[in-house]
Amino acid sequence: MEQRSIAFIGAGNMARSIIAGLVASGYAPDKITATAPSPARREPLARDYGIHTTDNNLSAASDADVIVLAVKPQLMEEVCRPLQILDFSGKLVISIAAGIGAERLNEMLATNLNLVRVMPNTPSLIGKGMSGLYASSALNPNDRQFAESLMQAVGEVCWVEQESGINSIIAAAGSAPAYFFLFMEAMQEEAIKQGFSTEQARKLVQQSALGAAEMVVANPDTDLATLRAQVTSKGGTTAEAIRTFNECQLSDTVAKAMRAAVSRAEEMEKLF
Ligand SMILES: NC(=O)C1=CN([C@@H]2O[C@H](COP(=O)(O)OP(=O)(O)OC[C@H]3O[C@@H](n4cnc5c(N)ncnc54)[C@H](OP(=O)(O)O)[C@@H]3O)[C@@H](O)[C@H]2O)C=CC1
Ligand SMILES: O=C(O)[C@@H]1CCC=N1
């Protein structure tokens, strides 16, 4: 893919995941800079991926063709203010922040940005990311294409037509790895109670999760309910487990949780 110089402003969990995936996919480490105030954040990135790091946001952003805003939403305004003096006309800005809209980002950087909002997730680290992208129709096709290729280098992508769709991407993908981790944690805990060691319990759970996910991917024409039915023998053990989940209204709980994620993103849009 096109090798533009990229500055990640913020070098935390999500920036690291994208950087790792990018470098593994062949993106030149020399073209990537990441910024963070603490050396403890920067040094492992420089060491592990061979990228440049600095605590100077202004110089990193000034030297870059592409600026990825990757700080916590509550810090975004403070981080953007000193960058207002830059000329953004030839730069592409990608924001991965949840709960900060395009209009607000234009306001924070005091200009009309060439902007793509991206909502990635941490499996980008291993090239298995799922990212949602939004750009206004005014964005030039080259920038649109670059943002898409960048995120494709670390996983799958899905464009949304309306900016509000980014909040639904958060609910379905950005936050979603945590839901699966939570489910696996609960399973591991119970497997331990049933007599397995922590390692055995983890292996049982992770291999089942991996196998299930890979079966979903390998059978694109089979719906999820059918895959579930194939495990569920009539009058058998799975049926009892599923009945228990249904009794506890698992689907409703999942729906509630996803709506709570959207509501929080909407709330953050007002706060920051
Ligand atoms: N984590 C996730 O799964 C996802 C996160 N996001 C979004 O990504 C963004 C970052 O989240 P996440 O990576 O989890 O957060 P982290 O807290 O892990 O990372 C934030 C980073 O910002 C750095 N930082 C703090 N202050 C400054 C500053 N003044 N200038 C430059 N960098 C600064 C921190 O450095 P230091 O440690 O030195 O303070 C840290 O490296 C958020 O906006 C979030 O909404 C989006 C999708 C998924
Ligand atoms: O929890 C958060 O706010 C961020 C956005 C999606 C995943 N992590």
Side-chain angles (χ1 to χ4, degrees):
M1 70 176 288
E2 194 189 342
Q3 303 271 306
R4 301 193 197 178
S5 57
I6 308 177
F8 285 81
I9 307 299
N13 292 313
M14 197 56 242
R16 186 186 175 92
S17 298
I18 299 174
I19 291 165
L22 275 179
V23 171
S25 80
Y27 207 93
D30 195 39
K31 291 276 189 185
I32 302 174
T33 300
T35 76
S38 60
R41 279 282 192 186
R42 296 194 305 269
E43 280 159 13
L45 278 172
R47 188 188 60 230
D48 296 347
Y49 307 114
I51 65 164
H52 304 287
T53 60
T54 173
D55 63 357
N56 190 330
N57 292 342
L58 190 60
S59 74
S62 165
D63 293 346
D65 302 321
V66 180
I67 298 166
V68 181
L69 299 172
V71 293
K72 291 277 186 213
Q74 52 270 38
L75 280 181
M76 191 63 86
E77 185 165 29
E78 177 189 326
V79 166
C80 283
R81 202 173 305 116
L83 305 181
Q84 287 182 358
I85 58 168
L86 293 177
D87 175 7
F88 283 95
S89 56
K91 296 183 190 292
L92 167 63
V93 175
I94 294 176
S95 169
I96 66 165
I100 303 184
E103 209 180 306
R104 186 75 183 105
L105 288 161
N106 284 333
E107 210 173 271
M108 287 180 183
L109 286 164
T111 189
N112 209 359
L113 299 163
N114 303 308
L115 177 71
V116 181
R117 279 193 67 196
V118 170
M119 187 48 52
N121 65 13
T122 54
S124 303
L125 181 76
I126 52 166
K128 302 277 185 195
M130 180 69 236
S131 301
L133 291 89
Y134 167 79
S136 94
S137 53
L139 186 76
N140 70 72
N142 281 349
D143 282 344
R144 182 178 273 267
Q145 182 55 52
F146 181 81
E148 180 174 311
S149 306
L150 193 74
M151 299 320 295
Q152 271 172 342
V154 299
E156 302 281 339
V157 302
C158 169
W159 282 95
V160 293
E161 295 294 322
Q162 306 295 325
E163 187 171 3
S164 59
I166 284 290
N167 292 347
S168 299
I169 295 278
I170 296 177
S175 296
Y179 317 159
F180 293 109
F181 296 140
L182 181 70
F183 199 87
M184 287 193 267
E185 278 174 71
M187 285 182 65
Q188 183 188 28
E189 224 170 273
E190 178 55 23
I192 291 168
K193 283 189 190 138
Q194 292 190 17
F196 294 104
S197 68
T198 303
E199 294 70 30
Q200 286 171 323
R202 179 167 170 145
K203 190 172 182 176
L204 289 165
V205 171
Q206 75 186 25
Q207 186 62 14
S208 301
L210 180 68
E214 289 198 347
M215 276 189 74
V216 171
V217 175
N219 294 282
D221 299 327
T222 310
D223 60 30
L224 299 175
T226 304
L227 289 171
R228 171 168 53 78
Q230 287 165 356
V231 191
T232 314
S233 313
K234 213 170 173 192
T237 59
T238 316
E240 273 311 291
I242 300 283
R243 189 185 56 74
T244 309
F245 281 134
N246 287 340
E247 249 173 40
C248 299
Q249 292 167 331
L250 179 70
S251 300
D252 283 356
T253 305
V254 169
K256 261 193 208 156
M258 289 174 69
R259 284 182 211 140
V262 172
S263 296
R264 178 57 185 158
E266 289 169 352
E267 210 170 75
M268 285 159 70
E269 281 164 12
K270 293 182 195 120
L271 284 174
F272 311 124

